[in-house]
């Protein structure tokens, strides 16, 4: 079937993950007459567009959606699509269903590299595969120069449908938080004490709980907007810049190989933290900070069995075989503080980062996985570079990762391993005699900083506080790569909040011109 690409739009968005979807949503709400087109290199997985794969009830369809997300060279059909299979083994390059690793260039000689660096290519981006955790940043994680940050975070929570109490009836969740609070809350501010994890989920009237993907962020205002177009399997190969201003995009139809030029008054590049700087670089937009300050979150996991608990009727449903979150799941949060600079996720059963043995059939809720994330010692030298002479499987400039763990990082990781053991000891007994497992760099999938926001154009940032690229009028960037601070918490909420600010700026400019 022949597809029609628009000749011109008011706003062209590259990428359909939660941040690209946030731009489309805010523009649909504030400027419904503006023409907006979103281009996504990957395919449509299911209806509605951008749905989280765990909401696909049929196992075969869910597996198909995961394979479709795995880029130019998806895993073999026989490869497991269970997100827990091999999750906590000691493989040097973890690969998760629905994602694909960099084939090469992920480590340079004498460096740590990012062997776990992974991406997804599909409508909805990584938002079709994520765990939905949406904590607010605290302390030094916060971006002090962004006006109205708390308001932007609140809008982000609205778009993602963040809920704090979706699992209040999860078995033993209250007991887990009570024990963690007793061990960890002393001296913490009220908003930094152990709490239920804010999650991007929807609890339905019949009790079902589904994950929020980009479909939730797009929402009805975008889907019902006759001036919005979503074009899957469309690779943007260039942002066209004329006389210091964005003028449109060059798009390759992945189905036919045909190229199209789409003129635009504004362009938003909302790919991931690796492919956003890649597209800017390929387009000749190369500020000094582009690709630099690459930031991953070292992650350590551990697991315990709760001690001294008595099963109740609420534990009769085992959620491990369910495709979606169910009310028997439990997720708790140990917030980052500057004094205890780790972000803790405490997850029960299906959400646990540590899989159980095949013959282990515990009472639901009694196996608890703990994941502790560190804030990186951010360095300008940690970066993704691009090769003039080599290309990736999409025909874009090949990536070369330069990344080192500093002495401060090694000290932070060691401290996080002790911290996670202290938290675990408050809950119960380890499942076995193994020490906490620290994942290889890149495994967090929380890459940041490569198109970082700054207060001034001083060479240490790529974009302004409204996400517009310095010196290129009308060009905006979005995604985790925009975050300039060293955060340990899950970055999606912060990224969506910054996208809201950028979208509002475009909406205001469109309104002024009209």
């Amino acid at each position: 079937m022949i597809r029609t690409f628009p000749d011109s739009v008011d706003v062209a968005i590259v990428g359909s993950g939660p941040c690209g979807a946030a731009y489309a949503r805010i523009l649909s709400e504030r400027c419904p007459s503006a023409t907006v087109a979103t281009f996504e290199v990957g395919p449509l997985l299911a209806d509605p567009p951008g749905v989280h794969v765990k909401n696909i009830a049929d196992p075969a369809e869910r597996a198909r959606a995961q394979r479709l997300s795995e880029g130019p060279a998806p895993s073999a059909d026989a490869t497991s699509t269970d997100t827990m299979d091999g999750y906590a083994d000691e493989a040097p390059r973890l690969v998760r269903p629905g994602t694909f690793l960099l084939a090469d260039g992920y480590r340079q000689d004498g460096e740590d590299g990012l062997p776990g660096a992974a991406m997804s290519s599909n409508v909805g981006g990584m938002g079709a595969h994520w765990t939905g955790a949406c904590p607010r940043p605290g302390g030094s994680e916060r971006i002090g120069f962004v006006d109205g940050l708390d308001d932007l975070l609140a809008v982000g929570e609205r778009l993602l449908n963040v809920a704090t109490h979706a699992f209040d009836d999860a078995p033993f969740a209250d007991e887990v938080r009570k024990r963690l609070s007793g061990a960890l809350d002393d001296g913490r501010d009220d908003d930094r004490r152990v709490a239920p994890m804010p999650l991007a989920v929807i609890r339905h009237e019949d009790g079902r709980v589904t994950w929020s993907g980009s479909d939730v962020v797009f929402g009805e205002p975008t889907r019902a907007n006759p001036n919005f177009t979503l074009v899957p399997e469309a690779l943007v190969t260039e942002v066209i810049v004329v006389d210091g201003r964005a003028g449109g995009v060059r798009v390759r139809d992945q189905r036919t190989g045909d190229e199209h030029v789409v003129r635009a008054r504004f362009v938003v590049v909302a790919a991931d933290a690796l492919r956003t700087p890649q597209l800017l670089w390929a387009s000749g937009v190369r500020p000094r900070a582009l690709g630099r300050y690459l930031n991953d979150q070292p992650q350590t996991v551990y697991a315990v069995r709760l001690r001294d608990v008595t099963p109740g009727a609420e534990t009769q449903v085992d959620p491990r075989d369910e495709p979606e979150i169910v009310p028997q799941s439990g997720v708790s949060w140990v917030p980052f503080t500057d004094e205890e600079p780790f972000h803790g996720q405490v997850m029960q059963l299906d959400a646990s980062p540590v899989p159980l043995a095949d013959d282990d059939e515990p009472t639901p809720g009694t196996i608890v996985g703990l994941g502790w994330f560190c804030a990186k010692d951010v360095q300008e030298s940690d970066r993704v570079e691009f090769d003039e002479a080599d290309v990736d499987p999409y025909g874009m400039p090949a990536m070369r990762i330069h990344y080192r763990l500093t002495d401060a990082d090694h000290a932070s990781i060691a401290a996080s391993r002790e911290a996670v053991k202290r938290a675990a000891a408050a809950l119960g007994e380890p499942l076995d005699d193994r020490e906490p497992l620290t994942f290889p760099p890149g495994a967090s999938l929380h890459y940041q900083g490569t198109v970082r926001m700054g207060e001034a154009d001083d060479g240490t940032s790529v974009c302004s506080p409204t996400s517009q690229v310095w010196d290129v009028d009308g060009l905006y960037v979005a995604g985790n790569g925009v975050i300039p601070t060293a955060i340990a918490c899950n970055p999606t909420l912060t990224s969506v909040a910054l996208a809201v600010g950028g979208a509002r700026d475009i909406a205001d400019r469109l309104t002024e011109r009209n």
Side-chain angles (χ1 to χ4, degrees):
M1 182 175 69
I2 298 176
R3 297 196 291 173
T4 301
F5 283 68
D7 292 324
S8 65
V9 293
D10 289 309
V11 184
I13 301 171
V14 184
S16 63
C19 293
Y23 269 85
R25 172 70 172 272
I26 295 298
L27 290 168
S28 294
E29 290 179 342
R30 292 199 166 204
C31 294
S33 63
T35 52
V36 179
T38 293
F39 301 96
E40 169 57 55
V41 66
L44 184 69
L45 301 181
D47 191 54
V51 68
H52 197 296
V53 298
K54 283 199 172 185
N55 298 339
I56 303 173
D58 181 77
E61 285 301 307
R62 190 165 63 252
R64 174 180 174 275
Q66 289 169 314
R67 287 288 96 92
L68 285 172
S69 305
E70 293 173 353
S75 300
D77 288 343
T79 305
S80 173
T81 54
D82 184 340
T83 55
M84 288 294 99
D85 279 355
Y87 189 103
D89 65 22
E90 298 187 22
R93 301 197 73 201
L94 293 174
V95 59
R96 301 185 178 95
T99 72
F100 61 98
L101 298 171
L102 279 179
D104 53 36
Y106 56 85
R107 181 191 293 120
Q108 309 308 311
D109 289 345
E111 299 180 0
D112 297 287
L114 288 182
M119 296 166 280
S120 293
S121 289
N122 54 268
V123 173
M126 199 69 80
H129 311 280
W130 69 318
T131 60
C134 288
R136 286 195 177 200
S140 60
E141 293 181 308
R142 290 174 59 86
I143 308 167
F145 58 79
V146 172
D147 292 336
L149 179 61
D150 288 321
D151 170 63
L152 297 176
L153 290 166
V155 177
E157 289 164 341
R158 172 175 69 87
L159 299 189
L160 289 160
N161 206 86
V162 175
T164 302
H165 300 289
F167 305 123
D168 281 355
D169 55 355
F172 310 121
D174 285 344
E175 184 63 24
V176 166
R177 287 192 280 273
K178 177 181 176 182
R179 295 182 187 185
L180 289 172
S181 294
L184 305 177
D185 276 352
D186 187 40
R188 289 174 173 256
D189 292 339
D190 288 347
D191 66 341
R192 295 285 103 184
R193 292 182 176 178
V194 173
M197 177 67 77
L199 293 168
V201 297
I202 300 172
R203 186 155 188 172
H204 302 273
E205 290 184 1
D206 61 3
R208 291 182 306 115
V209 181
T210 54
W211 303 65
S212 295
S214 288
D215 61 324
V216 173
V217 181
F218 279 128
E220 283 306 310
T222 308
R223 286 189 289 271
N225 182 0
N227 294 315
F228 172 73
T229 304
L230 171 64
V231 186
E233 297 177 76
L235 172 66
V236 175
T237 59
E238 180 187 359
V239 176
I240 299 169
V241 178
V242 180
D243 296 330
R245 174 165 180 82
V249 293
R250 190 179 306 277
V251 190
R252 180 186 305 142
D253 187 335
Q254 292 295 89
R255 298 178 184 176
T256 66
D258 295 338
E259 290 201 346
H260 305 266
V261 171
V262 180
R263 297 186 302 277
R265 295 164 65 180
F266 297 92
V267 175
V268 180
V269 183
D272 54 46
L274 299 178
R275 287 180 284 186
T276 291
Q278 180 190 51
L279 177 56
L280 266 60
W281 194 90
S283 305
V285 180
R286 303 176 184 179
R288 172 177 170 76
L290 186 72
R292 294 179 178 271
Y293 303 96
L294 175 60
N295 177 14
D296 176 46
Q297 296 173 343
Q299 179 184 2
T300 294
V301 297
Y302 201 40
V304 298
R305 190 185 303 269
L306 284 178
R307 70 169 72 91
D308 301 331
V309 291
T310 302
E314 75 278 9
T315 66
Q316 297 308 304
V317 177
D318 186 340
R320 284 178 291 164
D321 296 325
E322 299 290 335
E324 60 195 24
I325 307 177
V326 297
Q328 283 72 26
S329 307
V331 187
S332 300
W333 175 32
V334 180
F336 170 97
T337 69
D338 290 329
E339 295 73 29
E340 187 77 4
F342 314 114
H343 161 73
Q345 294 183 197
V346 182
M347 298 155 281
Q348 293 167 254
L349 276 178
D350 63 313
S352 168
V354 181
L356 308 179
D358 292 339
D359 59 353
D360 196 347
E361 297 184 359
T363 298
T366 61
I367 300 297
V368 181
L370 300 95
W372 254 233
F373 295 80
C374 300
K376 178 73 171 70
D377 180 21
V378 176
Q379 303 290 314
E380 182 184 22
S381 56
D382 292 329
R383 64 197 186 277
V384 53
E385 294 183 337
F386 304 100
D387 195 321
E388 296 259 18
D390 195 9
V391 296
D392 68 11
Y394 286 110
M396 298 295 287
M399 300 180 193
R400 300 289 180 260
I401 303 292
H402 292 271
Y403 193 81
R404 287 187 174 92
L405 294 172
T406 68
D407 289 344
D409 288 323
H410 287 294
S412 178
I413 292 168
S416 76
R417 292 169 66 87
E418 294 304 312
V420 79
K421 286 196 289 186
R422 288 195 302 272
L427 297 175
E429 311 307 327
L431 295 187
D432 52 42
D433 59 1
R434 288 181 292 181
E435 287 290 299
L437 172 64
T438 299
F439 285 155
S444 77
L445 307 182
H446 294 171
Y447 324 122
Q448 304 148 53
T450 52
V451 286
R452 72 202 301 248
M453 179 180 286
E455 193 169 10
D457 183 9
D458 59 3
T460 66
S461 62
V462 171
C463 68
S464 74
T466 59
S467 298
Q468 182 173 235
V469 173
W470 299 117
D471 295 330
V472 184
D473 189 26
L475 176 58
Y476 290 70
V477 285
N480 293 344
V482 174
I483 299 173
T485 50
I487 69 173
C489 70
N490 311 71
T492 301
L493 174 62
T494 300
S495 298
V496 168
L498 298 178
V500 169
R504 286 177 171 179
D505 192 58
I506 292 176
D508 289 344
R509 296 177 68 182
L510 285 169
T511 301
E512 289 170 2
R513 290 188 181 190
N514 293 335

